[in-house]
Amino acid sequence: MKQYLTFTEEVRHALENNLPVVALETTIISHGMPYPQNIEMAKEVEQIIRDNGAVPATIGIMNGKIKIGLSDSELEEFATNKSVEKVSRRDFPYILASGKIGATTVAATMIAAELAGIHMFATGGIGGVHREGEITWDVSADLTELAQTNVAVVCAGAKSILDIGRTLEYLETHGVPVVGYRTAEFPSFFARESGFGVDFRLDTPEEVGTLMDTKWKLGLNGGMIIANPVPEADALDHQKIEAVILQALKEAKDNNIAGKKVTPFLLDKVKQLTEGKSLQTNIALVKHNAEVAAKIAVAYQQAANQAN
């Protein structure tokens, strides 16, 4: 697989010298936010990671290569090119073999990060079991990836449009630890609450870094969720956003929208129905996740280096 990887000089230097690195996805840029907010967010998030002592590695697929770290012009391409494909595990070989441009989802970013030797990843929210998933069998590949790939994911919980209870049940069945970062309640992306708990509450980057190091040294393969609630000042009301999501779900169903088109449709509809407030919240939580991920990456690297 190494033949398919290319690195920016910044990321290569960090990996060769055992410096902390945080992976970032490109689907949030290409399919999760409109232009120019997407490119502004991408650049700000990278800088936040640098400011907190780690190196950002935004991941995407271009010209038959998995790029671990992107240049400014490549970031711009992902932010503006309307033909960017959405890539999960199943899509990897096709996008690479065809030379198309592909934005990596949570699952695909985890795969690429592990191939590159990166164990920390910051995103917005993970995918999960969709509402009525027991009927449609619509379950995100993010969950199966978390069950097998050694990357810790800092997120603001699962996207509110999902069935959070069933998502957590799936993670429990597959042995994926769900850590609440300074919270005992699993957040629901736009809101700080969900009505569901986490497996463990940890309050410092050092505690989380040590847990990561211990898990993988034990040979317990698979990822880890580090659930980091959106800052209070930017959070939306849980009950109000739930009502908005139910309306968006009804419209998706009425319009026969399915598969990989569901999440972008729902997030866009929620943005419309909240008059743009959900986009502001989305940007705020991604920035917050990047900050926390960078701090944990520093702590994890220190734990791993001490053990070596």
Side-chain angles (χ1 to χ4, degrees):
M1 279 298 296
K2 297 292 184 183
Q3 65 180 306
Y4 294 107
L5 299 176
T6 64
F7 300 82
T8 59
E9 192 53 43
E10 180 186 27
V11 174
R12 182 185 299 282
H13 175 267
L15 292 172
E16 288 177 349
N17 291 277
N18 293 321
L19 302 176
V21 181
V22 177
L24 299 165
E25 61 162 292
T26 37
T27 288
I28 194 170
I29 301 170
S30 297
H31 303 285
M33 293 183 188
Y35 186 84
Q37 289 96 330
N38 56 359
I39 188 68
E40 292 167 358
M41 175 277 303
K43 290 180 178 180
E44 286 178 37
V45 163
E46 286 195 346
Q47 192 56 49
I48 287 168
I49 289 169
R50 293 186 184 100
D51 291 345
N52 283 278
V55 171
T58 304
I59 294 172
I61 302 174
M62 301 177 87
N63 306 316
K65 297 290 184 182
I66 303 167
K67 291 186 168 284
I68 312 297
L70 299 175
S71 67
D72 285 348
S73 63
E74 288 167 341
L75 276 175
E76 192 78 27
E77 181 79 4
F78 277 99
T80 57
N81 188 328
K82 299 298 183 184
S83 64
V84 175
E85 303 263 357
K86 188 176 178 182
V87 180
S88 191
R89 172 175 278 268
R90 69 171 182 192
D91 311 297
F92 248 109
Y94 168 70
I95 298 299
L96 282 170
S98 64
K100 292 188 175 185
I101 181 170
T104 53
T105 60
V106 168
T109 306
M110 288 181 71
I111 293 169
E114 187 177 47
L115 288 170
I118 300 168
H119 296 287
M120 175 56 64
F121 168 30
T123 186
I126 60 164
V129 180
H130 280 259
R131 301 188 192 206
E132 299 188 350
E134 72 278 16
I135 299 169
T136 63
W137 286 76
D138 192 347
V139 180
S140 171
D142 295 355
L143 299 187
T144 51
E145 211 58 54
L146 279 158
Q148 63 186 319
T149 302
N150 296 349
V151 175
V153 181
V154 177
C155 61
K159 296 182 176 75
S160 315
I161 57 176
L162 302 170
D163 186 322
I164 291 176
R166 284 187 170 93
T167 296
L168 290 171
E169 285 289 351
Y170 187 104
L171 292 169
E172 188 273 331
T173 298
H174 290 273
V176 179
V178 177
V179 175
Y181 188 71
R182 300 179 178 173
T183 181
E185 181 164 3
F186 189 73
S188 58
F189 197 66
F190 295 121
R192 293 174 61 84
E193 317 81 26
S194 70
F196 296 93
V198 297
D199 298 325
F200 320 104
R201 172 177 174 155
L202 298 177
D203 292 334
T204 68
E206 290 73 24
E207 288 176 302
V208 181
T210 300
L211 180 65
M212 291 165 58
D213 188 52
T214 303
K215 180 183 192 299
W216 293 321
K217 282 202 170 79
L218 286 169
L220 296 173
N221 288 330
M224 180 189 305
I225 294 291
I226 301 158
N228 180 44
V230 61
E232 284 189 42
D234 303 293
L236 298 181
D237 180 85
H238 181 53
Q239 296 302 323
K240 289 180 181 177
I241 197 68
E242 179 66 15
V244 166
I245 288 165
L246 290 174
Q247 184 178 338
L249 285 163
K250 183 179 184 302
E251 291 191 32
K253 197 170 184 180
D254 291 346
N255 288 285
N256 296 315
I257 293 167
K260 63 171 68 176
K261 295 180 180 177
V262 171
T263 298
F265 173 85
L266 291 174
L267 291 177
D268 187 59
K269 183 56 64 174
V270 168
K271 186 186 79 175
Q272 291 177 30
L273 294 172
T274 60
E275 299 177 337
K277 290 179 184 176
S278 66
L279 177 60
Q280 295 171 24
T281 299
N282 197 349
I283 292 169
L285 65 85
V286 171
K287 290 180 181 179
H288 190 219
N289 291 343
E291 178 186 343
V292 169
K295 291 175 179 176
I296 294 172
V298 170
Y300 168 70
Q301 198 64 53
Q302 288 173 346
N305 289 348
Q306 285 172 2
N308 294 332

